[in-house]
Amino acid sequence: EEQLVESGGGLVQPGGSLRLSCAASGITLSDLYMDWVRQAPGKGLEWIGRSRNKVNGYTPDYAPSVRGRFIISRDDSKNSMYLQMNRLKSEDTAIYYCVQILEGYWGQGTLVSVSS
Amino acid sequence: DTQMTQSPSSLSASVGDRVTITCQASQDITNFLNWYQQKPGKAPKLVIYDASNLETGVPSRFSGSGSGTDFTFTISSLQSEDIATYYCLQYDNLPFAFGPGTKVDLK
């Protein structure tokens, strides 16, 4: 069974950093384009970034709201994807999901809270 | 950037009612549009892909139509388990964009 599992969320102060992980089972992430989507408490869904597949060099793209602060990376040996979040702001507080849009795979999400 | 508008923002309907939600893109996205169902505390679930294709395992009372800029999502006969928030997503061009969502509840 295909599964995506996010981890790494937690409470962080404004200006701090956090790294989220997305571990896959039942699928090979290196073959797939993968995305990150977030949802602030009580709000809608926001696409924040994409990593192309290995054949396309894992080239990333980012939403304007996180460009220059967030970095997506991969580790083929761990069949995983990461979201490095820097210079965090209170408005980054959200549940973060890793997603494979074409296949409809979503993780369960991990909560990031940015607060002093 | 492509902006997505979705209407209505919420609706109340009775079991058995036909429910229709619309999504409009600010530019042509051909058929690169998905519809998702999200229940409280859960991750979104893909319902319709490529505007009109029913995801495997999803009941046939769900359907989607449209292309270009105007899209429609329909539940032909609302069931209690369909109570959720529904989102459209355009994935034709980056940055991808979700509609603001439609909350469906029981009258």
Side-chain angles (χ1 to χ4, degrees):
Chain A
E1 181 187 3
E2 305 85 4
Q3 192 174 20
L4 298 171
V5 178
E6 302 93 339
S7 60
L11 177 63
V12 60
Q13 292 187 338
S17 297
L18 206 58
R19 190 178 85 148
L20 306 183
S21 300
C22 170
S25 58
I27 54 177
T28 302
L29 284 193
S30 60
D31 293 337
L32 302 171
Y33 283 43
M34 294 296 298
D35 296 84
W36 287 98
V37 172
R38 70 183 180 184
Q39 186 170 36
K43 302 298 184 181
L45 300 167
E46 180 189 11
W47 177 87
I48 60 169
R50 141 164 295 199
S51 169
R52 292 172 178 77
N53 59 11
K54 187 172 185 177
V55 166
N56 289 285
Y58 292 140
T59 307
D61 277 290
Y62 303 97
S65 58
V66 305
R67 190 177 297 134
R69 299 188 299 124
F70 289 12
I71 300 170
I72 300 172
S73 63
R74 305 268 205 137
D75 185 336
D76 292 349
S77 67
K78 296 183 178 178
N79 202 25
S80 293
M81 178 176 68
Y82 305 95
L83 181 66
Q84 176 67 42
M85 303 185 295
N86 301 320
R87 305 200 316 270
L88 282 160
K89 308 174 183 179
S90 58
E91 51 264 40
D92 295 319
T93 294
I95 297 172
Y96 286 73
Y97 297 99
C98 75
V99 182
Q100 210 298 320
I101 287 175
L102 292 184
E103 297 295 335
Y105 304 144
W106 288 67
Q108 85 289 351
T110 188
L111 177 62
V112 173
S113 296
V114 184
S115 174
S116 54
Chain B
D1 296 359
T2 302
Q3 312 300 321
M4 303 300 294
T5 56
Q6 190 174 336
S7 62
S9 57
S10 65
L11 65 90
S12 294
S14 302
V15 171
D17 283 354
R18 184 180 185 88
V19 168
T20 299
I21 300 168
T22 63
C23 216
Q24 186 170 57
S26 60
Q27 61 185 289
D28 189 337
I29 58 169
T30 58
N31 68 331
F32 294 107
L33 183 116
N34 288 350
W35 290 96
Y36 297 89
Q37 176 193 69
Q38 187 179 33
K39 297 183 178 180
K42 300 293 186 182
K45 171 188 170 185
L46 179 63
V47 179
I48 298 289
Y49 65 94
D50 293 348
S52 61
N53 295 291
L54 192 66
E55 175 69 351
T56 302
V58 173
S60 59
R61 62 181 179 273
F62 294 95
S63 65
S65 64
S67 66
T69 61
D70 295 298
F71 302 87
T72 301
F73 175 81
T74 301
I75 307 172
S76 60
S77 178
L78 185 71
Q79 303 300 305
S80 58
E81 60 265 33
D82 302 335
I83 299 311
T85 300
Y86 293 85
Y87 296 92
C88 60
L89 165 71
Q90 77 80 13
Y91 59 100
D92 175 67
N93 59 85
L94 294 170
F96 296 162
F98 289 90
T102 297
K103 186 174 182 180
V104 177
D105 60 28
L106 282 176
K107 190 181 295 182

